[in-house]
Amino acid sequence: MISVVISFAYIGLTSFLLGYGIKMAVGLLNYHIQDITTIFITGLAAATVYAGFYSLFAKVGLGANVLLLLLCALVIFIGKKELWQFLCKEKSQLNGRSLILLLLLILVMAYGTSRGYMHFDTGLYHAQSIRWIEEYGAVPGLANLHSRLAYNSSAFVLTALYSTAFLTGHSLHTTAGFLALVMSLKGFSVVKLFWRKKVVPSDFVKVALLWYLSIIYTEMMSPASDYFAMLFLFYLVITWLELEEKRVDNIVPYSLLCVLLAVTVTIKLSAAVMLLLILKPSVILLKNREYKQIVLYLCLGIIVVFPYLARNVILSGWLVYPFGGLDLFNVDWKLPLGEVQYDAEEIKVYAKGMRDVLLKDTPFQAWFPSWFKALKSLEKVWVLASAGSLAAGGLWLVRAAMQKKKEVYGIMFLEGVLMAGYLFWQMGTPLVRYGYLYILAFPFLTAGLLFTSLWGKSKRAFRIAVGVLVLLGAYKGLNLVKDMARYGKLDYYVWQQDYVAGAYNSYQVEDVTIYVPLEAGQIGYEPFPSSPYVREDIELRDGTLAGGFRRK
């Protein structure tokens, strides 16, 4: 746990300074970022892109961190006066009570990040992916050794950047926990409704965020890409709502949120449906003939996705894996098209509760009942609430459109995008951990829109909303105490709980020993490198691991 707190401090310092550097740059566009959680989130996104670029040329270890610190020092040098004023302003808003609560929150989140449940896929390939990045960066044809290593989530390069394995000998996986800590600040800002004396739609989504954080609390020590993607998406939806509620006309923050959305897609491709949000800034910029800004945001988008796409090509030979429709590169390490297509179909059928790829054309009415039956009780509630929100949200959209209130057009658009997101998830790859944004944020937002439009100015309704919030908080608070007690006896008060260490056999690829897990693919971080089974059809491209793998 001590190692987690120290890691949080390092991630917090560097992400804040990177985010502040971007804050200064955004100031040139006549928009000033004030929210400190936005600075942290922006900094984490920038660190993700930075680590992705660095991995294209070298291993992400000591050198990457030295350069990162130099960039942070540059931010301090350039903006020291403005930075000092900002910090003084933030400090003035912290009284003794809020400071104690903040420290308590940090300790609670550090505790959850120090121990808990290690995601199955982390033992299967997450840990190995991170170690490859730590040791070699991007390796050509790595997918030939283990096809899942082609699941090129940007969450892994970010985790490798902050693992400090080169310094401590322990590969820390605390980045998801730190992101959860930052987002908990965003979620707990719901208490502002007590001063505001009014409930707004974003309050409901903040409650949904806190609910999601309670779900992943005992799992967030695992560097699973799902957690990163969902938390970024929650941030994006809440911030978008806050902008709409404040009636911010400046298109810059919406455009920058779309750039952040591009970063999120490089973390998890399932977030791609949310790219529909790009329509709002695109239409307004084109309407106002802001061609310079259009070029700027296009360039930012290209910069953000370039390292992800380049890593895809290096790892698998395909621009977007596992999508075989873009066959653009003829490299000697390219994964066969049939395997790419099989992998894509396997993901879909697995998400629908099936195990045979031959069942990929099973109609909705055939797979849905067994899929729904296999869900946990609360997951069933959220899925039903989301399905019901399609009708309730549709009625709200019709009512809002008939009233022709321009001030709610932006929220109507967001609600429509979340509807599309839910349908895309439910009909496509309905694995629950892929879709928490749609089965939590969507129904909560719909409830918020109905509540505020029907009873928004009622004092009685406000008291009811506060009462429900208190009850939910008490329920989740009790569960949190139980979760903390359940893992309290585990001795991880100095070092964080390590990756799983599964049993294994080994085989040789030329002069290199490759390890094969014996227990359902669970091999973890050590030993290294590994493949899920003995691969007799591959060879080293140049006799070294750094040179990568190809088919014989």
Side-chain angles (χ1 to χ4, degrees):
M1 183 173 170
I2 294 174
S3 63
V4 175
V5 173
I6 295 172
S7 180
F8 277 7
Y10 178 60
I11 299 172
L13 174 66
T14 53
S15 61
F16 173 78
L17 289 173
L18 285 179
Y20 199 86
I22 294 174
K23 166 184 162 60
M24 292 190 295
V26 169
L28 300 176
L29 298 173
N30 295 320
Y31 182 77
H32 300 284
I33 298 172
Q34 301 296 333
D35 181 24
I36 195 165
T37 58
T38 296
I39 294 175
F40 279 117
I41 294 293
T42 303
L44 286 170
T48 302
V49 177
Y50 162 76
F53 269 108
Y54 198 96
S55 72
L56 299 177
F57 305 101
K59 64 181 182 180
V60 181
L62 176 61
N65 280 269
V66 169
L67 181 56
L68 175 65
L69 290 172
L70 289 175
L71 290 172
C72 291
L74 182 62
V75 171
I76 295 173
F77 177 77
I78 294 174
K80 54 183 177 293
K81 184 177 180 180
E82 182 183 342
L83 177 60
W84 178 252
Q85 292 174 345
F86 180 84
L87 291 174
C88 289
K89 180 182 176 183
E90 289 296 318
K91 182 182 177 182
S92 66
Q93 296 176 357
L94 275 177
N95 54 37
R97 181 183 300 176
S98 57
L99 181 59
I100 291 172
L101 290 174
L102 176 60
L103 292 174
L104 180 61
L105 179 62
I106 292 172
L107 290 175
V108 168
M109 299 305 284
Y111 181 92
T113 309
S114 68
R115 69 202 67 208
Y117 166 74
M118 185 65 73
H119 195 289
F120 180 86
D121 283 353
T122 297
L124 187 64
Y125 74 95
H126 295 168
Q128 289 282 311
S129 295
I130 291 165
R131 184 159 182 186
W132 275 105
I133 296 166
E134 291 172 349
E135 304 250 355
Y136 297 100
V139 176
L142 198 54
N144 289 299
L145 176 67
H146 191 336
S147 64
R148 291 179 185 269
L149 296 179
Y151 294 169
N152 171 36
S153 172
S154 295
F156 301 150
V157 291
L158 182 64
T159 302
L161 177 66
Y162 286 123
S163 73
T164 62
F166 62 90
L167 182 65
T168 64
H170 293 261
S171 182
L172 298 176
H173 30 98
T174 59
T175 319
F178 179 79
L179 178 57
L181 169 62
V182 174
M183 288 305 296
S184 66
L185 294 175
K186 192 72 173 176
F188 281 121
S189 67
V190 70
V191 299
K192 291 181 180 179
L193 66 86
F194 291 105
W195 289 270
R196 198 191 313 124
K197 298 297 182 182
K198 184 178 73 171
V199 180
V200 293
S202 62
D203 291 332
F204 285 78
V205 185
K206 289 173 183 177
V207 173
L209 166 61
L210 292 174
W211 194 284
Y212 178 68
L213 287 170
S214 73
I215 291 173
I216 67 170
Y217 181 76
T218 57
E219 305 175 16
M220 64 188 180
M221 68 140 186
S222 183
S225 55
D226 309 300
Y227 310 146
F228 290 83
M230 289 300 108
L231 289 172
F232 271 122
L233 286 174
F234 265 105
Y235 168 81
L236 192 147
V237 169
I238 291 171
T239 305
W240 194 288
L241 276 170
E242 289 175 335
L243 291 170
E244 296 288 0
E245 289 162 358
K246 296 173 183 176
R247 301 183 188 179
V248 174
D249 294 326
N250 193 331
I251 202 60
V252 171
Y254 297 99
S255 303
L256 293 175
L257 284 174
C258 290
V259 175
L260 176 64
L261 181 54
V263 176
T264 308
V265 172
T266 71
I267 292 173
K268 198 76 177 179
L269 275 175
S270 56
V273 66
M274 295 298 291
L275 289 172
L276 289 170
L277 289 173
I278 292 176
L279 289 172
K280 173 170 180 167
S282 298
V283 169
I284 293 176
L285 289 171
L286 285 170
K287 183 179 178 181
N288 295 335
R289 299 182 180 181
E290 298 283 357
Y291 300 122
K292 289 183 180 179
Q293 284 199 48
I294 292 173
V295 171
L296 171 65
Y297 297 125
L298 282 174
C299 290
L300 286 175
I302 291 171
I303 291 170
V304 160
V305 302
F306 178 81
Y308 166 75
L309 296 175
R311 283 181 52 82
N312 277 340
V313 175
I314 293 171
L315 295 175
S316 67
W318 295 88
L319 187 65
V320 180
Y321 187 90
F323 177 65
L326 291 174
D327 191 354
L328 304 177
F329 302 94
N330 186 24
V331 290
D332 68 317
W333 62 80
K334 189 174 186 177
L335 211 61
L337 175 61
E339 291 189 23
V340 179
Q341 293 172 330
Y342 180 88
D343 210 357
E345 296 298 342
E346 186 180 40
I347 293 170
K348 293 178 183 178
V349 297
Y350 179 81
K352 294 173 183 175
M354 300 177 287
R355 297 295 181 268
D356 188 352
V357 173
L358 295 178
L359 300 175
K360 62 185 178 68
D361 295 323
T362 303
F364 176 82
Q365 63 271 21
W367 64 260
F368 181 81
S370 58
W371 171 85
F372 185 79
K373 184 179 180 180
L375 297 178
K376 297 176 183 177
S377 298
L378 276 177
E379 291 172 350
K380 292 177 181 177
V381 170
W382 298 130
V383 169
L384 290 174
S386 300
S389 294
L390 290 174
L395 290 174
W396 180 86
L397 287 174
V398 171
R399 181 175 182 271
M402 292 176 64
Q403 291 177 337
K404 296 181 180 180
K405 293 182 179 180
K406 292 184 178 180
E407 62 270 20
V408 299
Y409 283 178
I411 296 179
M412 290 170 62
F413 172 61
L414 179 60
E415 173 77 352
V417 170
L418 285 174
M419 281 184 174
Y422 168 70
L423 288 171
F424 180 82
W425 170 80
Q426 183 67 83
M427 304 304 295
T429 51
L431 199 60
V432 171
R433 57 188 169 88
Y434 293 173
Y436 270 117
L437 180 81
Y438 311 119
I439 62 174
L440 285 177
F442 172 45
F444 269 87
L445 174 58
T446 303
L449 294 174
L450 293 173
F451 182 90
T452 54
S453 61
L454 297 176
W455 306 292
K457 296 181 180 180
S458 167
K459 291 184 178 180
R460 183 179 180 184
F462 174 77
R463 295 191 191 101
I464 292 173
V466 171
V468 171
L469 178 61
V470 171
L471 288 174
L472 287 175
Y475 169 69
K476 279 300 177 182
L478 180 61
N479 286 344
L480 176 64
V481 172
K482 290 180 179 179
D483 288 336
M484 294 179 71
R486 190 190 342 162
Y487 293 102
K489 295 180 180 179
L490 299 177
D491 187 18
Y492 298 114
Y493 290 97
V494 177
W495 290 105
Q496 181 188 29
Q497 181 177 331
D498 210 345
Y499 292 109
V500 299
Y504 57 87
N505 280 329
S506 65
Y507 68 100
Q508 296 292 125
V509 175
E510 299 174 25
D511 294 329
V512 175
T513 300
I514 308 294
Y515 300 93
V516 181
L518 296 178
E519 301 172 3
Q522 293 297 289
I523 198 163
Y525 188 82
E526 292 280 3
F528 174 84
S530 78
S531 65
Y533 48 83
V534 176
R535 302 298 306 261
E536 297 179 348
D537 59 339
I538 63 172
E539 63 184 3
L540 296 170
R541 294 181 61 248
D542 64 0
T544 67
L545 285 176
F549 300 86
R550 64 186 173 198
R551 298 300 170 93
K552 291 181 180 178

